[in-house]
Each structure stands twice: as structure tokens, then as C-alpha cells.
Amino acid sequence: MTETITDGTEIRASQVFTKTWDLRNAGTVPWKDRYLVREGPGGGCTTEPKVRVPDADPGETVTITVQVTAPSNPTVCHVSWKMADAQGHHYFPQLTGIWFDVIVVR
């Protein structure tokens, strides 16, 4: 997995930024009509509640992009996501999922 805005990156208060992950379908089942569904409040960072995951056959890599707005006050944002279907039912509920941590500064 590769990503932009690595954990611990300092982000200015109220800054809008784009977080991306390149995820590889390491399984044996194609990814079709899947989403990343946000989990929890995330320390004040604002995002869409779910983001479409591009369809991917086993072995393929896709790029997932999330637009994020940092809160207006300094804090640490930890935003977690899990893969789900269109109705919000999680795939791999026992797994941690993916996330990002940023430090919001003035």
C-alpha cells in the first residue's frame, strides 16, 4: 500500500487536503461496488461518510481518494475506514481497516 499525507504530517487548521491510498486486491474475489465507510468522529477532520472503491480484479491495484477538511483548532485527527458494500455491510469486519493520522497546527 502506498499513500499520500503520511501519518504524523502537520496540516494547517482549516486546510483542505487530499488523502490517497493505493490498495492492491490481494484476495481471490473481484472488488465490485465496494466503498470505504468512515468509522467514528476522527478528531474533527471532515470527510464524506463513504467513498467509492474502484472495481478491481484480484492482483489489481486501485487508487482511493478522500477530500479532507482539517478542523479550525489544533488537534490530532485519526480517521478510520473499513471496506463495505453499498448498504454499509463490512467486508472483513475482524480486520482493522485503513486510516490516517494528521496533526492539525495553527
Side-chain angles (χ1 to χ4, degrees), residues 78-99:
H78 175 86
V79 181
S80 299
W81 304 82
K82 286 201 172 185
M83 192 176 286
D85 64 18
Q87 292 74 40
H89 301 109
H90 289 164
Y91 294 99
F92 322 112
Q94 72 283 9
L95 298 179
T96 304
I98 62 174
W99 66 89

Side-chain angles (χ1 to χ4, degrees), residues 40 50 58 73 84 97:
K50 75 178 184 179
N73 294 310

Side-chain angles (χ1 to χ4, degrees), residues 19-89:
K19 171 68 181 176
T20 64
W21 295 270
D22 290 334
L23 296 180
R24 182 175 172 270
N25 180 348
T28 58
V29 176
W31 292 348
K32 302 288 183 207
D33 300 320
R34 294 189 181 196
Y35 296 83
L36 289 183
V37 176
R38 185 177 166 148
E39 306 256 299
C45 279
T46 304
T47 67
E48 292 295 322
K50 75 178 184 179
V51 177
R52 180 91 161 81
V53 174
D55 293 346
D57 288 325
E60 286 187 319
T61 298
V62 296
T63 299
I64 300 167
T65 302
V66 177
Q67 193 80 11
V68 184
T69 303
S72 58
N73 294 310
T75 189
V76 174
C77 289
H78 175 86
V79 181
S80 299
W81 304 82
K82 286 201 172 185
M83 192 176 286
D85 64 18
Q87 292 74 40
H89 301 109

